[in-house]
């Protein structure tokens, strides 16, 4: 996207102004476009992140009482007969692909705005630190701004704004440094003023080369340091969120007493039994410490010697001098009034740290483990399941006024609901789908490990031991494998050699479907019953997953198809198969979209959010004397059987 819409250089045609003061006596109004203003504020960062842009909005006439509808820039901001506003931060899209001026969507903050200068605040008070810009927004009333040398985070921007307000340099109603609408220069102020026509905003100072650090603004305007405000009892994140220790206190104590040997993996550690002197042979072996888990919230200790039942985790903690609170090694989230944003953010951090939860299609989801009868799949978490998971991830507390101490509580349903219904998640890893075997990454490397792969966003739901893929396969190995596959389908009566090739293509596609953003549908047809159509589809499907694929009825219309595809794709299935169709494969819009696009978006029944799901699923269909027709034909590989 070209951000410099007008080919203009920020600050061009700007008359020189003095650096010694606020230049309030300037008789020359600076003429620049809104686009030039925005380019200068956000300087070189507009293309660093995909779909992260400044937000603007415009309102005709009187803006009082009107809703501010955010719009991503670049856009047409040339109509100077409107009220034009911009935000000081860059914003990402929400799960629906929309731009909203919300804190959870804001990224770095690029400037700070001061309001009501000249009427409530003397402009001369800025002489010690002349601003980047000064806009007269109504007669004798101004907004001033400082562009930051390096963008800052939202909390620091909020703290700076508090310092400016407390110093009397900004109207109290213009609080908030992260999401605060500020006027653009090429605009009007449509608020009625004693019957006067709308006031045309005037840019009195424009020095885009003036960049400031927060420390410089604080020092030159003699403000209270924002860091002090940010660490006050109300603002301090540490009062809300206390992360777990980097190393379990039990393991640290075992190392201190030289009883720790090594990690055995999966939270199990080989240790020396503290009571080795009681062993029959005074030799230690077979003692282990187990980290806290769903089975034991304090962890576990087991010694294989005869006194194993005498010494368990309680005795080990007493011996090491480790409290139960330290042993469970969980983060602490304290519920305080006015801290919803930080509490919810802390809860999401803990979900991400658990490595059991992901964001998928705009929802919080987990991966369902595969069993003998059920394939692995993505499962959206209900609010009840999310509450349980949050209680497992962290210790939740609140201050009890009667006892004067913090007490343990369950995760509050209000905070759980806000996290569950969020539009965007800043910490949860994004899950793109599930693969059931080793798969290729975009750079050509082979992913052979199970679990979540941050590089691709795919979750490997397979046992690596079941797959023996050579690092450098030879051409002879490839030929041998092809002969084996051809032998596997040798008993099918294909009409032509092309149909046999289509069946092999279906097998190859099933194997690497998780690596492909797009793939065609495969349709098996025959002139008579009992030709092996279902068997061939099942054979191809078996290469996508070790679990037998279930068949679906082909939808009768597009509405039914849309609902069916969304409900199925939300689980990231390996295969969607329409078996024994009685009609041709007609080009339903939703089906064509799923075969053409890597993602489809729609609202899900009984849910409040719009889901964006991946289409990395193998589509199969079969039927007697039925074929893909019209626009779906070019999205489908036909395989014809004729016994």
């Amino acid at each position: 996207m070209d951000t410099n819409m007008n080919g203009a250089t920020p600050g061009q045609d700007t008359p020189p102004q003095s650096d010694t003061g606020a230049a309030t006596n300037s008789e020359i109004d600076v003429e620049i476009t809104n686009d030039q203003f925005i380019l200068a504020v956000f300087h070189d960062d507009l293309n660093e992140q995909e779909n992260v842009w400044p937000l603007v909005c415009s309102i005709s006439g009187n803006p009082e009482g009107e809703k501010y509808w955010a719009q991503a820039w670049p856009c047409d901001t040339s109509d100077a007969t409107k009220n034009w506003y911009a935000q000081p931060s860059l914003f990402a899209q929400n799960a629906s692909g929309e731009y909203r001026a919300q804190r959870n969507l804001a990224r770095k903050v690029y400037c700070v705005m001061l309001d009501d200068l000249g009427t409530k605040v003397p402009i001369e008070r800025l002489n010690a630190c002349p601003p980047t810009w000064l806009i007269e927004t109504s007669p004798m009333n101004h907004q001033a701004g400082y562009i930051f040398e390096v963008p800052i985070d939202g909390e620091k921007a909020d703290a700076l704004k508090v310092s400016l307000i407390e110093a009397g340099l900004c109207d109290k109603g213009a609080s908030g440094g992260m999401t605060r609408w500020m006027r653009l220069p090429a605009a009007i102020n449509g608020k009625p003023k004693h019957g006067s026509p709308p006031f045309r905003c005037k840019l009195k100072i424009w020095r885009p080369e003036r960049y400031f650090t927060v420390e410089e603004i604080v020092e030159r305007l003699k403000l209270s340091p924002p860091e002090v405000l940010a660490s006050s009892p109300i603002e301090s994140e540490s009062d809300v969120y206390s992360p777990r220790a980097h190393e379990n206190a039990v393991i640290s104590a075992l190392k201190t007493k030289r009883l720790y040997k090594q990690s055995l993996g999966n939270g199990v550690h080989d240790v020396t039994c503290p009571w080795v002197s009681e062993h029959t042979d005074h030799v230690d072996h077979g003692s282990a410490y187990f980290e806290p888990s769903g089975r034991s919230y304090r962890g576990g200790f087991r010694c294989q010697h005869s006194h194993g039942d005498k010494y368990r985790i309680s005795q080990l903690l007493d011996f090491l001098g480790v409290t139960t609170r330290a042993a469970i090694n969980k983060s602490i989230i304290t519920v305080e009034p006015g801290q919803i944003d930080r509490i919810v953010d802390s809860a999401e951090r803990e979900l991400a740290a658990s490595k059991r939860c992901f964001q998928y299609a705009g929802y919080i989801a987990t991966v369902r483990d595969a069993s003998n009868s059920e394939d692995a799949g993505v499962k959206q978490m209900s609010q009840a399941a999310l509450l349980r998971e949050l209680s497992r991830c962290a210790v939740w507390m609140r201050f009890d006024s009667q006892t004067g101490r913090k007490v343990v509580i369950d995760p509050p349903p209000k905070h759980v609901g806000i996290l569950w219904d969020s539009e965007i998640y800043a910490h949860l890893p994004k899950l793109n789908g599930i693969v059931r075997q080793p798969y290729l990454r975009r750079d050509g490397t082979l992913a052979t490990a199970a679990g979540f792969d941050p590089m691709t966003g795919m979750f490997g739901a397979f046992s690596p031991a079941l797959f023996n893929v050579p690092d450098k396969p030879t051409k002879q190995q490839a030929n041998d494998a092809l002969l084996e596959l051809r032998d596997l389908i040798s008993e099918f009566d294909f009409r032509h050699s092309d149909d046999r090739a289509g069946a092999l293509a279906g097998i190859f596609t099933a194997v690497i479907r998780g690596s492909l953003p797009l793939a065609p549908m495969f349709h098996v047809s025959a002139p008579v019953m009992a030709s092996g159509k279902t068997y061939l589809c099942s054979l191809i499907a078996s290469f996508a997953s070790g679990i037998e694929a279930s068949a679906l009825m082909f939808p009768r219309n597009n509405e039914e198809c849309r609902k069916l595809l969304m409900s199925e794709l939300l689980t990231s299935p390996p295969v969607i198969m329409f078996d024994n169709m009685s009609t041709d494969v007609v080009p339903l819009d939703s089906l064509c979209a799923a075969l053409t696009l890597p993602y489809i978006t729609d609202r899900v029944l009984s849910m409040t959010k719009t889901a964006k799901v991946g289409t990395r699923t193998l589509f199969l269909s079969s039927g007697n004397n039925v074929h893909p027709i019209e626009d779906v034909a070019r999205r489908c590989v036909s395989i014809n059987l004729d016994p």
Side-chain angles (χ1 to χ4, degrees):
M1 186 179 292
D2 184 6
T3 58
N4 194 342
M5 296 174 58
N6 299 322
T9 302
Q12 69 180 22
D13 299 328
T14 303
Q17 294 176 343
S18 171
D19 283 325
T20 60
T24 58
N25 59 349
S26 173
E27 297 296 332
I28 302 176
D29 295 335
V30 185
E31 295 290 343
I32 67 168
T33 67
N34 291 331
D35 290 338
Q36 290 173 311
F37 184 90
I38 293 170
L39 279 169
V41 170
F42 295 99
H43 33 89
D44 297 327
D45 295 347
L46 290 176
N47 287 317
E48 286 192 357
Q49 302 181 57
E50 185 178 359
N51 295 329
V52 177
W53 296 101
L55 296 188
V56 299
C57 75
S58 63
I59 300 175
S60 300
N62 183 9
E64 290 187 338
E66 296 293 329
K67 187 173 180 62
Y68 287 45
W69 290 103
Q71 183 178 4
W73 185 90
C75 59
D76 186 3
T77 64
S78 61
D79 188 354
T81 65
K82 293 182 178 180
N83 300 268
W84 278 103
Y85 307 88
Q87 284 281 335
S89 309
L90 292 180
F91 288 80
Q93 295 171 307
N94 62 19
S96 302
E98 301 168 327
Y99 287 95
R100 294 285 184 264
Q102 298 172 346
R103 288 182 62 87
N104 62 329
L105 302 178
R107 296 301 179 254
K108 294 295 184 179
V109 186
Y110 287 74
C111 62
V112 62
M113 180 270 290
L114 284 64
D115 199 14
D116 283 348
L117 296 168
T119 53
K120 298 181 181 179
V121 179
I123 301 179
E124 291 76 14
R125 293 193 58 188
L126 302 185
N127 283 350
C129 188
T132 305
W133 77 81
L134 184 74
I135 300 176
E136 188 175 10
T137 59
S138 62
M140 304 303 294
N141 197 49
H142 305 75
Q143 286 186 0
Y146 296 93
I147 299 178
F148 297 131
E149 181 177 319
V150 177
I152 65 176
D153 60 62
E155 292 184 359
K156 192 171 185 179
D158 289 344
L160 174 62
K161 200 61 174 288
V162 171
S163 296
L164 290 165
I165 291 174
E166 288 190 344
L169 294 175
C170 180
D171 178 53
K172 294 181 179 180
S175 61
M178 193 176 190
T179 54
R180 164 57 57 182
W181 289 109
M182 54 191 189
R183 289 189 180 271
L184 292 175
I188 64 165
N189 183 345
K191 293 182 179 179
K193 193 81 171 180
H194 305 298
S196 301
F199 182 83
R200 178 183 175 276
C201 295
K202 302 174 183 177
L203 186 59
K204 295 294 186 180
I205 294 178
W206 180 235
R207 297 300 298 268
E209 74 280 3
R210 286 178 178 161
Y211 294 110
F212 299 86
T213 64
V214 171
E215 292 71 23
E216 183 180 2
I217 296 173
V218 169
E219 179 181 356
R220 294 174 67 175
L221 294 179
K222 302 189 182 305
L223 307 177
S224 300
E227 289 78 11
V228 174
L229 293 170
S231 61
S232 67
I234 294 180
E235 296 288 331
S236 173
E237 187 172 12
S238 62
D239 286 344
V240 170
Y241 181 54
S242 299
R244 64 171 63 88
H246 292 294
E247 184 175 68
N248 188 308
V250 175
I251 295 176
S252 298
L254 287 168
K255 290 179 178 179
T256 300
K257 293 183 178 292
R258 299 187 177 182
L259 298 175
Y260 186 83
K261 294 181 179 178
Q262 63 180 339
S263 171
L264 301 177
N266 296 322
V268 183
H269 302 267
D270 185 13
V271 301
T272 298
C273 177
W275 301 278
V276 64
S277 60
E278 298 180 19
H279 295 181
T280 304
D281 51 5
H282 299 284
V283 175
D284 177 77
H285 57 81
S287 298
Y289 164 69
F290 305 86
E291 293 184 40
S293 65
R295 295 182 178 180
S296 175
Y297 76 102
R298 293 187 302 174
F301 173 72
R302 177 60 61 89
C303 179
Q304 300 298 328
H305 288 265
S306 58
H307 64 202
D309 291 336
K310 177 181 177 182
Y311 297 112
R312 305 302 286 268
I313 187 64
S314 295
Q315 289 71 34
L316 179 65
L317 296 182
D318 290 341
F319 174 84
L320 297 174
V322 176
T323 65
T324 298
R325 176 62 54 78
I328 64 177
N329 194 30
K330 288 186 178 181
S331 299
I332 298 176
I333 299 176
T334 303
V335 178
E336 295 181 357
Q339 300 293 320
I340 288 179
D341 185 51
R342 290 182 179 176
I343 293 169
V344 172
D345 183 79
S346 302
E348 187 191 341
R349 289 175 187 266
E350 288 304 303
L351 282 181
S354 73
K355 299 182 180 181
R356 295 188 296 267
C357 299
F358 307 90
Q359 54 172 310
Y360 178 75
Y363 300 87
I364 300 176
T366 58
V367 175
R368 183 182 62 236
D369 293 334
S371 64
N372 293 331
S373 60
E374 191 175 22
D375 182 38
V378 179
K379 182 177 178 59
Q380 276 69 45
M381 294 190 74
S382 64
Q383 289 197 52
L386 179 58
L387 188 150
R388 180 179 181 182
E389 186 65 26
L390 288 174
S391 67
R392 181 186 301 169
C393 291
V395 176
W396 290 74
M397 307 189 75
R398 67 168 177 81
F399 181 77
D400 183 20
S401 59
Q402 293 184 348
T403 62
R405 302 177 62 183
K406 291 183 178 180
V407 296
V408 177
I409 60 172
D410 295 324
K414 177 174 69 175
H415 298 81
V416 175
I418 292 173
L419 177 59
W420 184 83
D421 201 35
S422 293
E423 295 287 345
I424 193 170
Y425 299 101
H427 307 293
L428 281 172
K430 185 178 181 180
L431 178 66
N432 290 324
I434 297 179
V435 288
R436 280 82 178 172
Q437 54 201 308
Y439 56 100
L440 290 169
R441 300 186 180 97
R442 291 186 65 181
D443 61 359
T445 58
L446 185 67
T448 58
F452 183 72
D453 179 39
M455 185 180 299
T456 61
M458 305 298 288
F459 189 96
F462 58 85
S463 173
L466 298 178
F467 299 89
N468 183 20
V469 183
D471 293 334
K472 296 182 178 180
T474 65
K475 186 174 182 179
Q476 184 59 46
Q477 288 175 320
N479 283 327
D480 292 343
L482 181 58
L483 288 175
E484 186 172 351
L485 292 176
R486 283 176 172 169
D487 182 65
L488 189 64
I489 60 174
S490 61
E491 296 183 8
F492 289 99
D493 293 309
F494 295 103
R495 182 178 296 175
H496 302 294
S497 60
D498 289 349
D499 298 306
R500 179 180 290 104
L504 289 172
I507 291 174
F508 297 152
T509 304
V511 173
I512 63 171
R513 185 64 185 94
S515 303
L516 302 175
L518 298 173
M521 180 176 178
F522 292 85
H523 177 77
V524 182
S525 63
V528 294
M529 295 183 295
S531 302
K533 302 180 301 300
T534 300
Y535 184 55
L536 180 57
C537 284
S538 298
L539 179 63
I540 294 173
S542 69
F543 281 86
S545 171
I547 304 298
E548 183 177 354
S550 57
L552 301 171
M553 294 292 294
F554 191 77
R556 293 168 295 182
N557 52 58
N558 186 64
E559 180 66 16
E560 186 177 312
C561 181
R562 179 182 62 81
K563 295 177 181 178
L564 173 67
L565 291 181
M566 286 302 299
S567 63
E568 290 293 321
L569 291 174
L570 275 171
T571 66
S572 189
V575 177
I576 292 179
M577 183 167 67
F578 304 111
D579 193 26
N580 288 320
M581 294 178 57
S582 58
T583 63
D584 287 332
V585 185
V586 296
L588 300 174
D589 292 346
S590 297
L591 177 61
C592 289
L595 296 175
T596 310
L597 301 172
Y599 297 94
I600 59 174
T601 303
D602 199 3
R603 188 170 294 278
V604 183
L605 292 175
S606 74
M607 306 296 277
T608 60
K609 294 187 287 187
T610 298
K612 181 181 179 182
V613 296
T615 57
R616 297 193 184 211
T617 293
L618 181 67
F619 284 85
L620 300 172
S621 60
S622 67
N624 290 324
N625 296 307
V626 296
H627 305 276
I629 63 173
E630 300 175 17
D631 204 31
V632 77
R634 64 188 185 90
R635 294 173 166 87
C636 189
V637 174
S638 292
I639 305 169
N640 297 291
L641 299 178
D642 194 355

